[in-house]
Amino acid sequence: MIKIITISREFGCNARGIGKRLAGELGFAFYDWDLINLTAKKIGLQREVFAEHDEIAGNKSRFFTNFLYGSSTAFYTEKAVKAQADVIRNLAQKEDCIFFGRCSDYILREYPNCLHVFLYAPMRAKIKYISKEYELDEKNAESMIKKIDRQRHNYYKYVTGRNRGDRRSKHLSVDVDIFGEDDTVKLLADAARTRFKMN
């Protein structure tokens, strides 16, 4: 049976880097920006246009408003969400993989062989990471973190009707600051091997 890991996260704890390392450790495919390319192609939008609004839909009146040219916003919103869900479900039937963000835990909630993970860290740790990663002072780093997390939370709530960190849809939540990136990767790899009965 195909093995699937989904990773949800707070912005600023290097969840993407951890996810890529985990994929390498387990020999799984890692799907992140690939989902944007495939979804944009499926609904006939330029990749840049779709990427600009990726994971930031807060409500129907905002999503894709800038490029609808008079078409129904609700139609394009639902069309994009459905297309991305279809892409994720199709890929989930092909190979062992990790899906990064994009409500994949919810989309695959009925799939039996999944491990749903949520990564987070305290604000001080996220500010430190983002300040270094984007060369920002602490004030601007904190503002960036709050804005992006708010957008992602709104998107997740819009698509799923749930809060992003809701434990009902997660098997494992990890504070990256406490464990560190190396041990977080090790912890997740051990959890995956246990969950999927891997040698």
Side-chain angles (χ1 to χ4, degrees):
M1 184 179 289
I2 291 173
K3 300 175 282 294
I4 300 167
I5 299 173
T6 69
I7 297 179
S8 306
R9 78 290 190 201
E10 290 182 347
F11 181 68
C13 58
N14 194 26
R16 180 174 283 104
I18 290 169
K20 287 181 177 179
R21 289 178 58 186
L22 178 63
E25 175 75 18
L26 297 174
F28 284 22
F30 183 78
Y31 289 112
D32 180 12
W33 292 105
D34 322 66
L35 299 175
I36 295 177
N37 298 333
L38 292 168
T39 304
K41 183 177 180 180
K42 187 176 180 67
I43 62 178
L45 284 176
Q46 293 181 355
R47 180 204 181 279
E48 293 76 15
V49 172
F50 187 82
E52 182 182 350
H53 296 267
D54 181 44
E55 290 192 296
I56 65 170
N59 54 62
K60 292 181 180 179
S61 65
R62 291 176 56 199
F63 194 45
F64 289 168
T65 297
N66 293 336
F67 48 89
L68 288 178
Y69 306 106
S71 299
S72 165
T73 304
F75 171 78
Y76 275 88
T77 302
E78 297 301 333
K79 184 177 180 180
V81 169
K82 183 181 183 302
Q84 187 156 261
D86 288 344
V87 167
I88 289 171
R89 291 190 188 101
N90 287 338
L91 291 171
Q93 298 176 39
K94 293 182 178 180
E95 60 184 335
D96 297 339
C97 58
I98 295 174
F99 290 105
F100 190 71
R102 297 172 183 86
C103 306
S104 52
D105 60 321
Y106 179 80
I107 291 166
L108 300 175
R109 64 193 181 281
E110 296 180 358
Y111 280 54
N113 215 33
C114 290
L115 176 65
H116 301 304
V117 175
F118 186 76
L119 301 180
Y120 65 97
M123 181 60 77
R124 57 170 176 75
K126 293 188 290 187
I127 289 173
K128 181 179 179 181
Y129 175 78
I130 293 300
S131 293
K132 181 178 180 181
E133 188 74 7
Y134 292 92
E135 298 182 349
L136 297 172
D137 60 37
E138 291 188 357
K139 182 178 179 181
N140 285 320
E142 182 174 5
S143 177
M144 181 181 186
I145 291 165
K146 288 180 177 178
K147 178 181 179 181
I148 291 177
D149 266 341
R150 182 172 61 253
Q151 290 173 334
R152 287 178 176 168
H153 173 77
N154 289 342
Y155 177 82
Y156 190 90
K157 185 86 170 180
Y158 171 78
V159 173
T160 72
R162 300 178 179 179
N163 292 324
R164 195 165 42 127
D166 190 336
R167 69 177 183 273
R168 292 176 298 172
S169 60
K170 310 295 187 295
H171 298 127
L172 182 64
S173 295
V174 180
D175 184 334
V176 176
D177 185 50
I178 288 180
F179 290 95
E181 292 183 14
D182 290 345
D183 283 343
T184 296
V185 173
K186 183 178 183 301
L187 188 158
L188 296 179
D190 288 345
R193 292 185 179 106
T194 299
R195 172 72 177 91
F196 302 130
K197 296 178 173 57
M198 299 167 64
N199 295 328

